[in-house]
Amino acid sequence: MALASRFPDVEIPELSVPQFVLAGAAERADRPALVDGLSGETITHGELAFYVERMAAALAARGVVKGDVVAVFSPNTIWYPVVFHGIAAAGAVISPINALYTPEEIAFQLKDSGAKLLVTVSPFLDRALAAVQSAPVDEVIVMDGAEGHASLRDLLTSDAPAVQVDIDPAEDLVTLPYSSGTTGLPKGVMLTHRNLVANVAQCRPLFDLHEGDERVIAVLPFFHIYGLTVLMNQGLAWGCSVVTLPRFDLEQFLRTIQDQRVTRAYVAPPILVALAKHPLVDSFDLSSLRTITSGAAPLDESLAHAVETRLRRGASDGVAVSQGYGMTELSPVSHTTPEAGHEPAGAGPTPKGTVGYALPNTECRLIDPATGEDAAPGERGELWVRGPQVMKGYLNNAQATAETLDAEGWLHTGDVAVVDDEGRYTVVDRVKELIKYKGYQVAPAELEAVLLGNPEIADAAVIGVQDAESGEELPKAFVVRAPGSQITAEAVQAYAAERLAPHKKIRLVEFIEQVPKSMAGKILRKDLKNRA
Ligand code: 4UW
């Protein structure tokens, strides 16, 4: 039984992502669109639209055509949105690469996505060049410039003729982020222009925007779908100033909120832990903040209350802390908490342990994994989602697509949720393999594949175990030593750490005689969880 959204449907404009996001740029041409939180350097909404047009023209002049994939490997900067929308306006597809990736991880994504160009920044050039040795691309563009490479300045000042690419929003891809989904290795998630346009349009009725007076802090990375849609595209489409930070540093984060008078923060739970507990927080004036929304991993209700209480100081009305829920395959938002006064008709405040309501145009089902039937009212079940934000599928992987997205359009999330009588959802468990470490994806299959590359390791299985103190999920490897091997836990960890980004580090190791497997050879992760 489909559970309808408690909100009326919204209309989804038939526009490409750049057309939609830049639609209001001329009206607010002189207002800051992007502000560098550290240097104060600014791009206005008018300049943004101009640069995007130039970027698209320059890419077309370099031979980029509709459907080509361009990989972007960069931390957050004010130029990232210029690059993103320039590529999109040229009809090409952006595959965003995690800024922490090793050359091996970058090469995997370049090859799998079939990227034609790679856009990066000079501090990342060593890793980028190491990656393209095994995954060649036509050209590496270095945004801030480097000897022998075209820079963003070169592209934006070229006199290439303007381009008009015909885009079918419902069919054509705009971005290809990577996600392991419910099982296996990271896969390219095919998101269309319509997916991303819809997701911003769907969130709009839940927010009380102060037109022309909203500043959003973009510390979560644009290379992750949460930052890409919620900070970059939503922020710019709604006419906010998006204040970028290249990485999370608590003091810079607090200082930037204070100095830029930031009104909204979208974060992951570890940042809320710092806001609740760290002494530095008291040294800054955070009274401009109106909302803090958390997502990407479970948020403890008491932590949300602790942050509200701590920040409710002085003359300020304080800040509302709440939760949303999303997944790369959902562009990413399916659920969020409306701002006070924007709840569905008749509903009261949204409890902080919940992830809020299904967005407009979004249907849900909760399926009892034991029976495959709809869960009884009030009972838990696997969350299925259907709506215009649901991905088109996984790139070149019909089987994984069919396992996740059924014939009726339901996306099986692999998360377990309950819904209350008012239509508010709480995420209570995860039945998929995926591990979340500080909000980042860690795919057990990827770690297992790396470990199996070590001749001293005969077999390996990875699961997430809850750390009682931090509440984080820690990747734990069960390792079977090869005959004669005396490999230590430290050596296992070091071997993986050399090849994988820091968030994928193996935090715990246990040696075992045999990895428990089903008759079909599938790792019995439940048995390992019980053992851990
Ligand atoms: N509670 C418990 C949550 C929650 C959660 C996510 O890396 P991905 O694919 O994607 C994300 C997206 C997060 C997100 C996007 C937009 C948004 O508004 C918002 O809230 C403000 C969050 O993380 O990982 C997807 C997986 O992350 C877990 C869950 O397992 C999901 O399938 N997850 N949000 N609030 N778990």
Side-chain angles (χ1 to χ4, degrees):
M1 185 193 49
L3 305 165
S5 170
R6 299 290 169 111
F7 293 96
D9 279 358
V10 294
E11 198 189 308
I12 298 155
E14 289 281 325
L15 297 172
S16 73
V17 173
Q19 284 170 338
F20 173 72
V21 168
L22 301 170
E27 271 167 51
R28 41 184 177 252
D30 296 331
R31 291 217 308 263
L34 292 143
V35 179
D36 184 315
L38 302 182
S39 71
E41 193 188 352
T42 295
I43 298 175
T44 66
H45 286 275
E47 286 165 344
L48 175 64
F50 171 77
Y51 290 143
V52 166
E53 188 266 337
R54 284 292 82 211
M55 179 79 190
L59 288 170
R62 294 178 113 75
V64 171
V65 297
K66 188 168 155 176
D68 280 348
V69 174
V70 179
V72 180
F73 176 46
S74 170
N76 287 4
T77 79
I78 58 172
W79 298 101
Y80 198 113
V82 170
V83 170
F84 178 93
H85 288 283
I87 296 168
V93 184
I94 301 90
S95 195
I97 299 181
N98 188 312
L100 301 173
Y101 271 11
T102 62
E104 288 88 345
E105 292 167 309
I106 301 164
F108 172 84
Q109 189 168 332
L110 291 175
K111 265 189 238 169
D112 192 79
S113 65
K116 186 166 168 176
L117 294 184
L118 173 59
V119 182
T120 189
V121 290
S122 61
F124 289 8
L125 189 56
D126 285 352
R127 280 182 292 155
L129 292 180
V132 299
Q133 296 232 315
S134 59
V137 292
D138 290 354
E139 187 182 357
V140 177
I141 295 167
V142 181
M143 288 156 71
D144 52 331
E147 181 84 33
H149 296 273
S151 69
L152 210 50
R153 178 184 300 269
D154 296 331
L155 270 67
L156 297 180
T157 56
S158 85
D159 51 11
V163 285
Q164 270 295 343
V165 181
D166 260 338
I167 288 170
D168 176 350
E171 282 303 318
D172 295 336
L173 306 188
V174 66
T175 189
L176 194 60
Y178 272 66
S179 163
S180 65
T182 56
T183 181
L185 295 177
K187 297 171 273 291
V189 178
M190 297 193 288
L191 298 178
T192 63
H193 285 266
R194 180 177 155 86
N195 287 149
L196 296 202
V197 168
N199 211 216
V200 172
Q202 288 172 286
C203 290
R204 184 64 189 87
L206 283 69
F207 285 88
D208 178 25
L209 274 194
H210 291 196
E211 194 69 43
D213 189 32
E214 294 279 4
R215 289 163 299 279
V216 182
I217 190 154
V219 69
L220 295 189
F222 293 145
F223 62 71
H224 184 256
I225 193 70
Y226 181 5
L228 188 84
T229 293
V230 175
L231 299 173
M232 181 170 87
N233 287 341
Q234 176 176 288
L236 295 171
W238 292 357
C240 309
S241 299
V242 177
V243 182
T244 65
L245 287 174
R247 72 190 70 81
F248 179 68
D249 168 281
L250 181 63
E251 185 164 355
Q252 280 175 359
F253 176 73
L254 298 170
R255 187 179 306 287
T256 303
I257 292 173
Q258 167 185 280
D259 293 354
Q260 299 290 339
R261 306 294 298 151
V262 165
T263 56
R264 294 182 191 272
Y266 292 88
V267 301
I271 297 184
L272 284 167
V273 173
L275 288 176
K277 303 201 166 144
H278 202 287
L280 258 183
V281 174
D282 292 325
S283 311
F284 293 89
D285 172 9
L286 307 179
S287 60
S288 56
L289 266 182
R290 293 168 46 215
T291 57
I292 304 178
T293 312
S294 172
L299 175 70
D300 190 60
E301 187 167 359
S302 60
L303 181 59
H305 283 294
V307 172
E308 277 194 356
T309 306
R310 188 169 190 198
L311 298 189
R312 193 175 295 122
R313 288 172 305 183
S316 114
D317 298 337
V319 58
V321 177
S322 68
Q323 262 195 99
Y325 163 89
M327 177 169 165
T328 309
E329 290 80 350
L330 295 170
S331 299
V333 196
S334 61
H335 292 74
T336 203
T337 302
E339 219 167 331
H342 291 248
E343 295 88 357
T350 312
K352 297 194 189 304
T354 78
V355 297
Y357 298 85
L359 296 184
N361 312 52
T362 302
E363 297 172 284
C364 298
R365 287 178 74 179
L366 292 175
I367 301 293
D368 180 345
T371 62
E373 303 291 330
D374 289 290
E379 295 296 321
R380 51 171 66 195
E382 185 192 359
L383 175 65
W384 291 8
V385 175
R386 184 161 72 181
Q389 72 272 54
V390 172
M391 68 165 178
K392 195 168 171 177
Y394 292 115
L395 181 72
N396 300 329
N397 199 333
Q399 191 190 336
T401 303
E403 283 166 12
T404 308
L405 184 55
D406 69 26
E408 289 170 23
W410 292 101
L411 190 291
H412 302 197
T413 65
D415 292 304
V416 180
V418 293
V419 60
D420 69 14
D421 293 343
E422 306 271 336
R424 298 171 300 216
Y425 289 75
T426 303
V427 178
V428 292
D429 197 6
R430 206 183 287 137
V431 286
K432 55 187 164 187
E433 285 173 18
L434 180 69
I435 302 169
K436 275 290 180 106
Y437 183 76
K438 296 201 188 289
Y440 287 111
Q441 288 201 1
V442 181
E446 188 183 2
L447 274 52
E448 288 156 6
V450 165
L451 292 176
L452 291 177
N454 186 327
E456 294 209 64
I457 295 176
D459 205 356
V462 174
I463 60 166
V465 294
Q466 198 87 20
D467 179 43
E469 203 183 315
S470 65
E472 275 299 338
E473 236 182 319
L474 305 179
K476 170 168 183 173
F478 291 88
V479 172
V480 182
R481 289 191 181 104
S485 165
Q486 292 298 320
I487 191 168
T488 61
E490 293 71 32
V492 169
Q493 289 173 311
Y495 180 82
E498 265 171 45
R499 291 161 177 82
L500 296 163
H503 62 278
K504 298 182 193 170
K505 271 191 186 145
I506 292 170
R507 311 267 158 187
L508 303 161
V509 177
E510 183 176 335
F511 292 101
I512 52 174
E513 292 301 315
Q514 201 179 354
V515 173
K517 290 188 183 160
S518 71
M519 300 285 268
K522 261 185 83 133
I523 296 171
L524 295 171
R525 293 176 198 281
K526 269 225 158 65
D527 292 5
L528 292 172
K529 287 227 167 191
N530 292 338
R531 183 185 171 122

